[in-house]
Amino acid sequence: MAGLSKPMANPVAEAARTRSPGRLALERFRRDRIAVAAGVYVVLVLLASVLAPLICRVLGIDTERHIGLLSLTNLGFPDGRLGGMSWDHPLGIEPKTGRDLLALLLYGSRTSLIIAFGATLVSVALGILFGLWAGYFGGWVDTVISRSTEVLMAFPVLLFSIALLAVLGNLDRVGFLAGNSLRTAILIFVIGFFSFPYTARLMRSQVLSLRTREFVAAARVMGSSNRRILRRELLPNLTGPIIVVTSLSIPATVLAEAGLSFLGVGIAPPATSWGQLLGAASRTFVVDPAYMLFPGLSMVATVLAFNLLGDGIRDAFDPKSRS
Amino acid sequence: MSLLEVRDLRKTFVRGHGRRRRVVNAVDGVSFEVGAGETLGLVGESGCGKSTTAGMVVRLIEPTSGQISFAGTELAGRSERSLRPLRRELQMVFQDPQSSLNPRQTVGTILSAPFQIQGVQPDGGVLPEVRRLLERVGLNPEHYNRYPHQFSGGQRQRIGIARAIALRPKLVVCDEPVSALDVSVQAQVLNLLAGLQQEYGMAYLFVAHDLAVVRHLSDRVVVMYLGRVVEQAEREELYRSPAHPYTQALMAAVPRPRVPEQRKKVLLRGDAAADGPAGGCPFRPRCPRYATELGAADQSRCTQEAPELVPLSPRQSAACHFV
Ligand SMILES: Nc1ncnc2c1ncn2[C@@H]1O[C@H](COP(=O)(O)OP(=O)(O)OP(=O)(O)O)[C@@H](O)[C@H]1O
Ligand SMILES: [Mg+2]
């Protein structure tokens, strides 16, 4: 009532009050040039992998084998310099198979990103669910969830995933999933499952501070069910942290997939991913270093861009976190 | 039969573990009644258990023991589910308008929650009812799609009040509804509460930490000290002749315009220790009467015997051996 009719006493404070936290975060993000540049790069990479078939058609390349391009005298390695780079095959061709490396990279980044987004989705969804429960209900629910996530975090995740994937890799078909799509799905669930405890812990700590706020008490006084409080009162207040963990989880899952595929328990040829290409390239590195260069560069650049973007988003939501 | 009858209500909190475990008697045997359409003021220093009492009345806090009978129904020990229909009649206005409104919900969402949760369909629909509510509490009805941060503290408290009265409850528990507000808007909000009471005939349990705030609204006042009721009286009696030394001390802190120094100044020193001295009268360490007026024989009564609340007249009772 007071401030409405009379002129604003303090325009700066007034303006700050009328902007929501999300708005302020967006404005801070826009001022962060590195984060914006990283964001642009990320969008380009996403476009390239989504539009992989179209790009390949336009450039006239495909992922078919071109044995004719391989030198018989050269033990199946490409003729010419730099891994067989040419106008027809801008990044060269794959040793032994003669497949176009640019096409492989486009399709490979697609697989890697599908796994990264899928695993992040699994991990963030599980993390939100268990974090909300643990933080909101407290008591034995919290004890069970917190102890279980601690056990998961102490797990030798890499060894366990390798063993698990080696076993699951022998499956031919589960439901409608078979071959490469089955392996992709398995990778999504294994990586997502093992990374959810970190999200759960963050969400739990956020909920612990939210649940003592009076609007939660107000909802209970009105007769809200726990379900409604979790969904309508708490979850909307977690959008900031959710965006932050999501953006930082994507590069981590890209690396996890790359590691597993590199070790030969993830994506297997003829399907490709960044990790699979790097793994294959590492075996011929001495003879054909160019084969490793492009998958490696593109993965490192993408992971870096995702990380910078995630850092920028985190700083935008929580300016104090900037060191 | 009164609308609300509280009998020997107790709440103990356990803090710490093992050797540092301490039991706090936040509320220690409190009884009072609130009649329909009446206002009962509940006054005491910070930490004396007012919010805990208020919280138990609306069953946000589970009482350790005691009875709370509301409109003939016993609330203590009831399941949350069976309480839900009763919550229509029993609402609460919170202390901190910053935290009592969900920052992620518009005012329209906040004010339609009571109708949704309780399954009430107002005549003419929820949105027109929300606008009517906004108008009734002195806000612009067109501001229903604004967010809480776009309002001042006083306006936010008006929204909190609108939410509490949305379903025309019989009793509204107000936990220091103006103590977080600028002095200039406190009176406006108190007037609003008084006007709403006249219009809808609801009862208030009105919590405050000083006697000035409850003076104009209350029909009766309960004064609490360290979890106990030390004095209970009709408003006229209490302000004319406070009986308990603690009430007198609180009264001395009330600014009294126009009246020159006519009452002996009684000043309270120090804070209430969280659980007072063991045995005897809990107010003894800070009691001016004990320190200056009583002889050794009388003092030993204060150190040994905890005073009960005894009637001084049909309209006033106090818990002091020497009133
Ligand atoms: N959840 C809790 N756990 C442990 N102790 C508590 C809890 N809630 C309240 N207490 C303690 O109980 C006592 C009474 O607290 P309460 O909040 O009811 O006081 P109050 O009269 O409302 O004070 P204020 O004016 O500061 O709001 C205090 O000593 C407080 O520290
Ligand atoms: Mg309080």
Side-chain angles (χ1 to χ4, degrees):
Chain A
M1 305 281 18
L4 273 189
S5 47
K6 61 180 183 195
M8 289 178 191
N10 181 347
V12 178
E14 206 73 18
R17 211 184 63 210
T18 55
R19 268 178 273 163
S20 70
R23 248 313 219 309
L24 288 170
L26 193 66
E27 282 169 24
R28 276 196 292 271
F29 181 80
R30 285 220 196 100
R31 283 198 297 270
D32 185 345
R33 271 197 241 149
I34 294 178
V36 171
V40 170
Y41 180 79
V42 162
V43 169
L44 289 178
V45 170
L46 293 182
L47 276 179
S49 57
V50 169
L51 301 177
L54 191 70
I55 296 173
C56 287
R57 182 137 17 111
V58 170
L59 294 179
I61 52 179
D62 55 41
T63 55
E64 297 301 312
R65 289 159 164 261
H66 298 281
I67 307 289
L69 295 170
L70 301 171
S71 152
L72 291 177
T73 57
N74 207 5
L75 297 170
F77 284 95
D79 275 333
R81 276 185 303 165
L82 293 171
M85 263 192 213
S86 64
W87 286 113
D88 288 344
H89 304 286
L91 299 186
I93 53 174
E94 189 182 45
K96 315 267 187 194
T97 63
R99 296 188 294 176
D100 181 272
L101 196 50
L102 178 59
L104 290 185
L105 200 53
L106 284 168
Y107 278 98
S109 62
R110 202 178 202 205
T111 310
S112 289
L113 289 171
I114 286 173
I115 292 171
F117 277 88
T120 296
L121 191 72
V122 169
S123 130
V124 170
L126 288 176
I128 291 172
L129 194 67
F130 286 107
L132 274 174
W133 283 347
Y136 180 69
F137 291 111
W140 65 268
V141 178
D142 183 25
T143 309
V144 169
I145 293 175
S146 295
R147 291 299 96 77
S148 318
T149 51
E150 276 158 25
V151 168
L152 268 181
M153 284 193 274
F155 229 61
V157 172
L158 185 62
L159 290 181
F160 187 78
S161 313
I162 291 172
L164 188 68
L165 288 165
V167 174
L168 293 176
N170 292 331
L171 297 173
D172 290 332
R173 169 174 289 278
V174 175
F176 61 91
L177 292 173
N180 187 48
S181 51
L182 177 61
R183 286 180 153 265
T184 304
I186 292 172
L187 278 169
I188 286 174
F189 282 101
V190 169
I191 297 172
F193 182 75
F194 281 111
S195 49
F196 95 83
Y198 300 92
T199 314
R201 221 158 59 154
L202 177 74
M203 291 301 148
R204 174 179 173 274
S205 69
Q206 297 282 325
V207 172
L208 281 182
S209 76
L210 278 175
R211 76 162 180 187
T212 57
R213 303 269 293 273
E214 283 177 347
F215 64 81
V216 177
R220 284 173 59 201
V221 169
M222 286 186 286
S224 285
S225 59
N226 288 328
R227 198 187 154 85
R228 189 190 154 99
I229 292 175
L230 288 169
R231 294 230 303 233
R232 308 285 278 274
E233 307 287 342
L234 297 179
L235 196 54
N237 282 287
L238 294 173
T239 37
I242 289 172
I243 293 173
V244 172
V245 292
T246 304
S247 61
L248 290 174
S249 160
I250 290 168
T253 46
V254 165
L255 290 177
E257 180 277 326
L260 292 168
S261 296
F262 182 93
L263 293 170
V265 291
I267 295 299
T272 57
S273 72
W274 282 321
Q276 185 275 326
L277 287 172
L278 284 175
S282 70
R283 289 185 271 280
T284 58
F285 180 68
V286 182
V287 194
D288 185 4
Y291 180 29
M292 184 179 257
L293 186 66
F294 296 110
L297 270 183
S298 80
M299 186 182 80
V300 167
T302 307
V303 168
L304 183 67
F306 267 115
N307 270 325
L308 291 174
L309 176 65
D311 283 345
I313 291 174
R314 191 195 54 211
D315 291 343
F317 273 98
D318 180 12
K320 278 166 282 169
S321 72
R322 176 173 270 156
S323 45
Chain B
M1 184 192 64
S2 296
L3 178 64
L4 176 74
E5 287 183 33
V6 172
R7 289 271 159 273
D8 200 25
L9 199 60
R10 285 167 203 274
K11 179 70 192 182
T12 52
F13 289 109
V14 179
R15 277 198 253 178
H17 290 283
R19 205 179 287 179
R20 298 180 56 193
R21 184 185 142 106
R22 277 202 319 131
V23 175
V24 182
N25 293 316
V27 175
D28 199 8
V30 163
S31 306
F32 56 82
E33 294 180 7
V34 184
E38 182 187 53
T39 300
L40 178 68
L42 186 60
V43 179
E45 281 171 292
S46 182
C48 73
K50 307 177 301 283
S51 294
T52 308
T53 307
M56 287 193 283
V57 168
V58 294
R59 270 291 304 274
L60 278 174
I61 299 174
E62 189 73 30
T64 307
S65 70
Q67 284 101 49
I68 306 162
S69 134
F70 175 72
T73 320
E74 181 55 45
L75 300 189
R78 262 179 175 252
S79 75
E80 189 57 47
R81 190 179 297 266
S82 71
L83 276 174
R84 198 162 297 158
L86 285 166
R87 294 205 177 278
R88 255 178 94 159
E89 321 265 74
L90 179 56
Q91 273 302 308
M92 181 149 179
V93 175
F94 292 85
Q95 174 170 4
D96 178 9
Q98 295 285 351
S99 100
S100 67
L101 306 178
N102 192 331
R104 297 280 168 173
Q105 292 179 351
T106 63
V107 171
T109 310
I110 290 170
L111 291 184
S112 44
F115 300 102
Q116 284 171 4
I117 293 166
Q118 290 290 342
V120 174
Q121 183 63 35
D123 297 336
V126 174
L127 185 58
E129 184 62 24
V130 165
R131 292 190 202 209
R132 256 198 299 282
L133 277 168
L134 283 172
E135 196 155 24
R136 180 60 196 87
V137 298
L139 296 173
N140 185 339
E142 299 313 316
H143 287 176
Y144 63 87
N145 50 14
R146 295 199 174 184
Y147 285 88
H149 68 264
Q150 294 171 295
F151 294 90
S152 71
Q155 292 173 323
R156 262 178 275 192
Q157 196 57 302
R158 286 168 191 269
I159 297 165
I161 292 168
R163 171 174 61 190
I165 62 157
L167 300 173
R168 307 276 180 272
K170 292 195 178 115
L171 175 68
V172 179
V173 175
C174 307
D175 187 3
E176 306 203 29
V178 296
S179 63
L181 303 180
D182 280 357
V183 180
S184 56
V185 294
Q186 286 190 353
Q188 297 171 12
V189 172
L190 290 175
N191 286 339
L192 172 66
L193 285 167
L196 290 169
Q197 186 171 40
Q198 277 200 335
E199 188 172 337
Y200 301 123
M202 21 182 199
Y204 288 146
L205 173 59
F206 194 98
V207 175
H209 60 254
D210 68 65
L211 283 163
V213 170
V214 295
R215 174 159 206 170
H216 302 284
L217 231 52
S218 305
D219 300 301
R220 280 182 305 118
V221 178
V222 166
V223 181
M224 278 181 78
Y225 186 78
L226 285 182
R228 296 178 206 210
V229 176
V230 295
E231 180 158 2
Q232 175 162 177
E234 304 285 325
R235 177 187 44 191
E236 299 305 321
E237 272 68 17
L238 190 89
Y239 286 87
R240 188 171 350 107
S241 55
H244 195 281
Y246 178 62
T247 319
Q248 292 169 357
L250 285 180
M251 203 70 82
V254 176
R256 293 166 60 86
R258 285 187 292 128
V259 185
E261 277 308 296
Q262 33 106 268
R263 201 189 307 272
K264 190 171 52 160
K265 266 260 188 249
V266 194
L267 289 178
L268 274 183
R269 254 167 279 123
D271 287 325
D275 37 17
C281 174
F283 186 54
R284 167 173 37 104
R286 298 168 73 199
C287 180
R289 192 173 289 164
Y290 175 86
T292 60
E293 292 169 28
L294 299 181
D298 287 339
Q299 282 187 339
S300 74
R301 196 172 168 209
C302 297
T303 49
Q304 269 151 31
E305 210 182 311
E308 298 285 320
L309 198 63
V310 288
L312 308 174
S313 76
R315 299 156 68 81
Q316 185 169 24
S317 45
C320 176
H321 297 306
F322 304 98
V323 283

